[in-house]
Amino acid sequence: MLLNMEWFRTFKTIYETGSLTGAAQQLYVSQPGVSLHLNSLEAYVGYKLFDRTARKMVPTERAKVLYNYILEAVNKLEEAEQHFHKSAASNKSTISIGMCLETFQFTLEQYISSLPFNLNIKFGEYPEMQQDLDHGLLDLIVSPQKGNQPSITYRPFAKERIVLVAGGKQDTAAFSKLIRKGQYNEAEKWLKDQTWYTTAADMENMRKFWLCNFGKHPDFKPNYIVPNKCSIVRCMSDSKGFAIIPDFLCRQELNNGKLKQVWEGNKVMENTLYFGKRKKTMYSKEIEMIENIFLEQAPGLAADVEEELVDA
């Protein structure tokens, strides 16, 4: 099942209005549509979000945690949407960009209000973004994947490594000592006894990292499965716990000591991040401004990425 970001908006509205009817009225959709979104989100996260009474939808404890995690992100998206709807009155151009939620939150979100043009952000699967870019529905995508559409160019701009990170207050000395001695079986056992964070959609990174470095699949269940990588970073900052996530999405926290990089593994797992855009576009200046924001967030380009940029 793929995550639909509208489920979060619907969930937030139900939480705040306390009823399906109130949410339907506020969102200008049918009540069955609201129920469908809620049921789909509950099926996705794997637990009930509301106790349904005759007069009110009462949020569960897990719903309260989820609401706090997504509130800021959903509010930011609604703010971006409002800017988009004002485009006709202000005569500003509107740029449509596709990327993953975490990339948006860690890089572009803080700059939205200062941009001299309107912005429409779309989240989804990368092949779908590539098709939308090719069809003119998007003007720019940020992706770890390159497509083969002849009308689209891809420019590498950064590397992300899938690394083992820990909260800033986590004691990792015992693990580091075992790794230095090459005692990987003992290191794996030590890690399995720790507190772990992941997302439902990100278990694949953990499986690959574990298989590459320990020669087996992880046979333990993470303690906390949260909505997205942004939640992982917030939960672990200045705290304890472990996660396997892209370093690109937590470089600021790693630099200021709120998180610590524990191990990149014996076999480095690395992705190249690309800007994808159509060869012919009327928004070259606006796209360049967005690209520069990302480049400022990822100043340490790997040598092979720089070579790709020169070749391009």
Side-chain angles (χ1 to χ4, degrees):
M1 180 187 295
L2 297 179
L3 177 63
N4 185 331
M5 298 309 299
E6 283 298 315
W7 299 347
F8 285 142
R9 191 208 298 261
T10 301
F11 162 75
K12 171 179 173 287
T13 308
I14 296 171
Y15 190 100
E16 293 173 347
T17 61
S19 71
L20 297 177
T21 301
Q25 292 173 346
Q26 188 166 320
L27 295 171
Y28 299 101
V29 298
S30 66
Q31 186 169 324
V34 169
S35 296
L36 178 61
H37 281 185
L38 176 58
N39 291 339
S40 298
L41 181 59
E42 287 181 330
Y44 185 87
V45 300
Y47 48 77
K48 187 169 66 170
L49 295 171
F50 293 94
D51 292 317
R52 295 155 173 81
T53 68
R55 304 180 64 179
K56 189 175 182 180
M57 299 286 285
V58 180
T60 63
E61 289 301 314
R62 287 184 170 181
K64 295 175 183 177
V65 174
L66 178 60
Y67 176 83
N68 288 327
Y69 276 143
I70 70 167
L71 180 60
E72 182 180 354
V74 174
N75 285 341
K76 282 287 186 180
L77 291 176
E78 290 176 344
E79 179 183 342
E81 189 176 49
Q82 290 172 2
H83 283 303
F84 170 73
H85 283 306
K86 292 178 182 177
S87 60
S90 63
N91 253 351
K92 292 182 180 179
S93 56
T94 298
I95 309 301
S96 297
I97 305 177
M99 66 186 75
C100 75
L101 172 64
E102 292 89 351
T103 300
F104 167 73
Q105 288 186 301
F106 279 109
T107 54
L108 193 57
E109 181 181 71
Q110 59 185 309
Y111 296 98
I112 280 185
S113 61
S114 64
L115 294 174
F117 48 84
N118 298 303
L119 205 59
N120 187 17
I121 307 293
K122 179 178 180 180
F123 305 128
E125 298 296 316
Y126 294 116
E128 180 185 350
M129 291 183 194
Q130 292 167 357
Q131 291 182 2
D132 288 346
L133 179 63
D134 190 34
H135 296 158
L137 300 177
L138 293 173
D139 301 299
L140 176 72
I141 63 173
V142 179
S143 168
Q145 302 174 9
K146 291 199 299 185
N148 55 8
Q149 298 88 345
S151 65
I152 298 176
T153 61
Y154 290 90
R155 177 193 177 197
F157 71 93
K159 290 280 191 180
E160 65 174 11
R161 287 187 175 182
I162 310 302
V163 295
L164 173 65
V165 301
K169 295 181 179 179
Q170 176 70 52
D171 185 356
T172 61
F175 174 79
S176 298
K177 183 177 181 180
L178 292 171
I179 291 297
R180 285 195 303 269
K181 291 182 175 180
Q183 297 175 340
Y184 296 108
N185 288 336
E186 291 77 5
E188 186 211 11
K189 292 177 183 177
W190 187 91
L191 282 178
K192 288 161 61 174
D193 289 334
Q194 308 308 309
T195 299
W196 280 87
Y197 292 83
T198 189
T199 71
D202 203 42
M203 291 294 293
E204 187 63 23
N205 276 341
M206 176 177 280
R207 284 193 287 267
K208 287 182 178 179
F209 188 92
W210 220 263
L211 186 60
C212 283
N213 292 288
F214 298 118
K216 61 183 74 170
H217 292 285
D219 57 356
F220 65 97
K221 183 178 180 181
N223 305 81
Y224 304 107
I225 299 177
V226 297
N228 54 60
K229 298 182 186 73
C230 303
S231 300
I232 293 177
V233 172
R234 286 195 293 267
C235 288
M236 289 174 47
S237 290
D238 283 330
S239 186
K240 297 182 179 181
F242 288 84
I244 294 172
I245 57 177
D247 63 349
F248 179 74
L249 299 178
C250 59
R251 282 178 182 167
Q252 181 176 346
E253 288 76 12
L254 291 173
N255 289 337
N256 61 27
K258 291 185 176 181
L259 295 179
K260 60 176 72 173
Q261 180 171 315
V262 180
W263 192 38
E264 63 180 25
N266 291 323
K267 298 180 180 179
V268 175
M269 292 176 55
E270 200 167 57
N271 295 322
T272 300
L273 299 178
Y274 298 92
F275 296 128
K277 58 186 176 182
R278 292 187 302 280
K279 294 179 179 178
K280 295 182 179 180
T281 175
M282 60 186 293
Y283 300 120
S284 298
K285 292 182 178 179
E286 292 87 348
I287 290 174
E288 183 180 2
M289 185 176 294
I290 296 294
E291 290 176 339
N292 286 338
I293 290 174
F294 276 89
L295 291 172
E296 289 173 3
Q297 300 295 311
L301 294 180
D304 50 349
V305 174
E306 291 178 331
E307 291 175 1
E308 289 183 64
L309 286 169
V310 172
D311 294 339

